[in-house]
Amino acid sequence: SEVIANIKTTREQIVAVEQQSADVRRSIHQCQGSLSSMEALQEAALGKTDKAMQQWLEKSGIDNNARFAEQIDVSDGWELAVETVLGDTLEAVCVDNIDQYSSALDTLESSNVSLIETSSSTTVGSDSAIMLSSKVTSKIAVSQFMHGIRCAETLDEALSARHSLNEDESIITKDGIWLGANWLRISRETDESKGVLARENSIRELQQQLAELEANAEEINSELGTLRENLQNKEQQREEIQSSLNNIHSRLNEIKAQITARESRQEHIANRGKDLEAEVEVLDGYLADGLTLAELKHTASFADRMEADWTEIADARSEADSWGDINQAYHLATDDISAAEILIMGIKEYKE
């Protein structure tokens, strides 16, 4: 029926949506795992695992402040170059005013701390495409750290341009090779403190991805809830229809039973009528043979006592057998010889 077809379709939809939900949950789990790993590495790289520094930041009330690396956006592919220039400055804690923390600096022991003011005007890189500052966007002024630093896509380009550099200028390549007019610096160290900016971008991407996955999971769960509610309603509808059908079948069976009982009674009445007609004919025959109604009544009574066929007794009376002979014959009858046979043989002869 249509209801059963709808139930089947809804169940198939639930299975499909449950699979989607499982896939999204798996993706969320994987994303959370990657994000946790990256955040742990980032915390270590930004000095957030330095207990002495963290204690000082907590006492100063700025332990939850963002770090410089978390407040800048770098053009794709230029993270290493910017990180090479900024170095440990990326670990700086962002504050509104450095002056208010100057008195507490003497209490810092066995650690390092950098502070940077966020009250500087918003910095968007220079319009000049060859300056490194053009690759950075931040609310914090970064030009103070990148003054005179140009950028080049390749080492060959940087080598060609270094002879035209002023004394206060340098140039850095996309992969982090830093040159002056007469010097070059390259760093290929591989430790957790490197790749901070690239990792920060990855963290932001993962956070965005996780937010989208969680929103998707919420939508799927809502859809799944609606489908399950629909399925429950359809199954309830099916149960109600089945109950109605059962009641109809039960009523039909009752009607059929009543019809069968009536047919059986009618058949019994018809058969009984035929039996009565036959009995009337038999009675008429015995009356014609000279038996009275009183004798026939006595015959029936005697037959009931002897548990015998009344017609056999009536036949004996029609043959002029006395009631005494008939009584003796039925008392003498055995499994081997019947009362009728004894009467035919004669009581006296049977006894002899």
Side-chain angles (χ1 to χ4, degrees), residues 117-165:
E117 290 184 348
T118 57
S119 57
S120 304
S121 59
T122 300
T123 299
V124 178
S126 169
D127 291 336
S128 174
I130 65 169
M131 302 307 294
L132 182 60
S133 59
S134 68
K135 306 299 182 182
V136 181
T137 302
S138 176
K139 292 182 179 180
I140 300 171
V142 297
S143 58
Q144 57 187 320
F145 304 106
M146 300 181 181
H147 177 71
I149 302 177
R150 300 182 185 182
C151 56
E153 289 285 340
T154 65
L155 178 58
D156 289 340
E157 183 181 336
L159 290 171
S160 298
R162 72 186 182 94
H163 298 295
S164 63
L165 293 174

Side-chain angles (χ1 to χ4, degrees), residues 54-314:
Q54 284 300 114
Q55 289 175 354
W56 185 87
L57 293 175
E58 288 176 9
K59 290 179 181 179
S60 301
I62 54 176
D63 53 306
N64 291 322
N65 286 28
R67 300 301 173 92
F68 185 27
E70 298 170 338
Q71 296 295 304
I72 62 176
D73 292 313
V74 180
S75 298
D76 188 35
W78 287 93
E79 294 88 354
L80 181 57
V82 173
E83 187 172 339
T84 300
V85 172
L86 295 180
D88 294 342
T89 308
L90 291 171
E91 301 178 25
V93 179
C94 300
V95 296
D96 293 331
N97 190 336
I98 291 176
D99 294 344
Q100 67 184 94
Y101 304 102
S102 59
S103 60
L105 294 176
D106 292 338
T107 63
L108 179 65
E109 298 179 359
S110 303
S111 187
N112 301 311
V113 68
S114 297
L115 303 178
I116 189 168
E117 290 184 348
T118 57
S119 57
S120 304
S121 59
T122 300
T123 299
V124 178
S126 169
D127 291 336
S128 174
I130 65 169
M131 302 307 294
L132 182 60
S133 59
S134 68
K135 306 299 182 182
V136 181
T137 302
S138 176
K139 292 182 179 180
I140 300 171
V142 297
S143 58
Q144 57 187 320
F145 304 106
M146 300 181 181
H147 177 71
I149 302 177
R150 300 182 185 182
C151 56
E153 289 285 340
T154 65
L155 178 58
D156 289 340
E157 183 181 336
L159 290 171
S160 298
R162 72 186 182 94
H163 298 295
S164 63
L165 293 174
N166 296 322
E167 292 183 358
D168 60 346
E169 287 184 327
S170 59
I171 188 168
I172 191 166
T173 66
K174 200 171 187 178
D175 58 354
I177 302 176
W178 198 359
L179 303 88
N182 55 8
W183 57 269
L184 180 150
R185 188 171 76 184
I186 182 171
S187 176
R188 291 290 184 263
E189 293 178 330
T190 55
D191 59 56
E192 65 179 17
S193 65
K194 301 300 181 182
V196 171
L197 296 177
R199 188 160 49 243
E200 184 63 29
N201 285 341
S202 297
I203 288 173
R204 292 172 185 172
E205 291 174 0
L206 283 172
Q207 288 172 337
Q208 178 63 29
Q209 182 182 352
L210 182 59
E212 292 173 356
L213 286 171
E214 289 176 343
N216 190 18
E218 187 174 348
E219 291 178 1
I220 290 174
N221 288 336
S222 177
E223 181 182 359
L224 193 58
T226 300
L227 285 171
R228 285 172 175 166
E229 184 178 353
N230 290 342
L231 177 61
Q232 185 177 3
N233 292 336
K234 287 181 174 65
E235 288 180 337
Q236 179 64 33
Q237 184 180 1
R238 181 193 61 185
E239 292 300 324
E240 292 173 355
I241 292 174
Q242 187 62 49
S243 178
S244 298
L245 287 174
N246 290 340
N247 291 334
I248 292 172
H249 286 308
S250 178
R251 182 58 182 156
L252 285 175
N253 290 334
E254 290 177 2
I255 293 172
K256 287 180 180 179
Q258 292 173 359
I259 292 173
T260 301
R262 289 180 182 179
E263 290 175 346
S264 178
R265 284 198 299 272
Q266 289 176 351
E267 183 179 357
H268 175 72
I269 291 170
N271 292 336
R272 181 58 181 157
K274 293 177 181 179
D275 292 341
L276 288 174
E277 289 177 358
E279 288 179 2
V280 168
E281 292 179 1
V282 172
L283 287 173
D284 289 342
Y286 286 128
L287 289 172
D289 289 341
L291 296 180
T292 66
L293 288 175
E295 279 191 297
L296 290 173
K297 183 177 180 180
H298 181 69
T299 298
S301 176
F302 182 81
D304 288 340
R305 289 198 308 275
M306 293 296 137
E307 297 181 353
D309 183 355
W310 73 274
T311 58
E312 291 182 357
I313 300 171

